[in-house]
Amino acid sequence: KITCYFSFFLLAKKINKNIFLCCLIACIFACINIRTTEGFGIAIFPYLVYLMLFKKKIKLKNYFLIIFFALNSDIVMTLLAVPIIPIILFAINKNILRNNLSNILKILFVFVFFLIVANSNLIFAQLYSEPFHREEFFREAPSFLNNISSIIYTLFNLPYELSWTFFYKLPFTIFLIPLIVLSFFSKDRTVYFLLSFLLLTHLFLFLLNLEVVSNLRYNATGLIKTFGWGYIRTIFPLLYVLIFLYLTKKNIWSTKYLIYAGFLSVILLQINSSLVPITKKYFLGAGNDYKNIYTFNGYYSYEDYKEIKRVVKNQRVLSIGLDPMVANVNNI
């Protein structure tokens, strides 16, 4: 989250001269980029964009940072987002691909090369190991109407039931609704371009969920079946905050509501991790059965997995609906 903050702040202050807004929007990025638990990939993307846009000469220290963060990024969560970087660059400066192409290619090559190095074991396993358990997955395609409603809910991150998901999604909904609505009326070319790309991405995910496409995918084998196109959503937090940054460049009355919504979202996102455990433990009657996954002991369930280890010994296991790393951490 610290990487998210400083990475985006460095880019933001080159675009928007209002330092308070740069700090606020960098905070929002640090809060909503929740997939950083799987690596630094998206967290460092604003820094890569900053180098490509505003640095004529890339120094050794810059390459060191690129390599360091690439080696600590997850290829599954990051690779699909890499080709979107040139699209973001073009949205910000339509001449940048022509004027600074050499630096852009160097930075992307170095980042992707060391990303592959860091994840070479996964690539090797995918190509030469026995079939992954994901090859056995089969998901029913949603109905056409459910598919449409799902895309709308996803676009605005709307809560669709009164459960823990309501508290989880509410901070996103609070700032996404004014963000997207105001974007439709914005005359800023960058905002319009980024919004169009965001909507096209949602349309692409909608088409992937159509019954005919789903059936073709799940009747196939290998990467065609197991490749997770949905991971393209990892770039959404960066698109949101870039749109936010450009919408607030001009001090007009409507952007004030967006700033208030962003500030409220940051506060709610900060207290969410405390509200959920407190609510479940003291108000929903979960008592001692509640697992607080915000703690190491609650997440990795050391005592429970000791019993599992006693039963399975050195046999291999399959984690269904659980993080498979938990078993790994517990020497299973």
Side-chain angles (χ1 to χ4, degrees), residues 51-65:
L51 292 178
M52 294 171 187
L53 283 172
F54 302 108
K55 287 287 185 182
K56 292 295 181 184
K57 187 177 180 182
I58 309 301
K59 298 179 180 178
L60 188 62
K61 66 177 182 180
N62 302 130
Y63 280 118
F64 172 79
L65 287 172

Side-chain angles (χ1 to χ4, degrees), residues 105-158:
L105 292 176
K106 286 176 186 175
I107 291 168
L108 287 178
F109 175 79
V110 171
F111 184 82
V112 172
F113 177 79
F114 284 97
L115 178 68
I116 290 171
V117 169
N119 293 269
S120 54
N121 57 334
L122 181 62
I123 296 168
F124 182 86
Q126 182 70 54
L127 294 174
Y128 301 109
S129 180
E130 59 196 67
F132 277 35
H133 67 278
R134 287 178 177 270
E135 292 220 20
E136 299 300 322
F137 285 6
F138 184 86
R139 293 185 178 92
E140 291 285 344
S143 68
F144 186 79
L145 289 177
N146 284 342
N147 197 9
I148 291 176
S149 63
S150 175
I151 290 299
I152 294 171
Y153 274 107
T154 305
L155 179 63
F156 295 100
N157 228 314
L158 296 170

Side-chain angles (χ1 to χ4, degrees), residues 28 171 174-175 178 244 256-266:
I28 293 172
I174 286 172
F175 87 90
F244 200 127
K256 291 181 180 178
Y257 295 102
L258 182 57
I259 294 167
Y260 295 146
F263 193 74
L264 179 60
S265 293
V266 168

Side-chain angles (χ1 to χ4, degrees), residues 34-93:
I34 58 172
R35 300 313 292 255
T36 46
T37 48
E38 278 108 355
F40 283 92
I42 305 301
I44 201 62
F45 270 23
Y47 178 71
L48 301 184
V49 173
Y50 160 78
L51 292 178
M52 294 171 187
L53 283 172
F54 302 108
K55 287 287 185 182
K56 292 295 181 184
K57 187 177 180 182
I58 309 301
K59 298 179 180 178
L60 188 62
K61 66 177 182 180
N62 302 130
Y63 280 118
F64 172 79
L65 287 172
I66 295 167
I67 292 168
F68 174 80
F69 285 105
L71 288 172
N72 289 282
S73 295
D74 174 57
I75 197 167
V76 175
M77 295 291 168
T78 308
L79 192 61
L80 273 179
V82 170
I84 298 173
I85 291 180
I87 297 172
I88 291 172
L89 293 173
F90 181 79
I92 296 172
N93 182 350

